[in-house]
Amino acid sequence: MSKSMVVTQPQPVMVSRDSDQWGSGICDCCDDVPECCFAYWCFWCFTCVKAKTYGECLCLPLLDLCGIVPPITMSIRVSMRQRYGIKGDMCNDCLVATFCRACVWCQMSREMRARDLQITLVGARNL
């Protein structure tokens, strides 16, 4: 038996093989026609469902109803860029969130689905 002491435990490392670009363009709604139709016909329901999927409050996108620049759409887009390491800037986020809001939500939805990372705990015990 060895008398060496373990000082540090190995830490989990996340390696991302994803690109630093959006997985689809802002106008690639034909990549998922049912989702695009849902966003077009029932936009506010669509945004609330996607915000909840992203981990935010279900009704948070409804705050976009007031004002010209939609603050929630823009902030979730910026958050998503930071979470997934996507290059971009706030000026572009502001422009697309203001003038292409439904397309932005569809793009973010496609990105969440494409980058869905299932986390598995190795050696975890059910207590």
Side-chain angles (χ1 to χ4, degrees), residues 31-98:
D31 290 352
D32 191 348
V33 175
E35 189 168 84
C36 182
C37 289
F38 180 29
Y40 180 76
W41 293 109
C42 192
F43 178 71
W44 296 111
C45 294
F46 179 78
T47 59
C48 289
V49 167
K50 295 307 170 181
K52 181 70 174 171
T53 303
Y54 189 64
E56 296 296 335
C57 176
L58 177 68
C59 297
L60 189 64
L62 297 178
L63 294 174
D64 277 349
L65 288 170
C66 29
I68 296 172
V69 176
I72 305 305
T73 300
M74 187 174 157
S75 62
I76 290 179
R77 183 174 170 86
V78 169
S79 170
M80 190 172 288
R81 277 194 312 98
Q82 290 176 348
R83 178 182 290 182
Y84 297 140
I86 298 171
K87 291 183 180 177
D89 56 37
M90 287 185 64
C91 182
N92 183 47
D93 292 335
C94 182
L95 287 172
V96 295
T98 302

Side-chain angles (χ1 to χ4, degrees), residues 17-34:
R17 293 186 188 106
D18 293 319
S19 170
D20 62 351
Q21 300 295 322
W22 288 99
S24 61
I26 194 83
C27 295
D28 289 342
C29 291
C30 292
D31 290 352
D32 191 348
V33 175

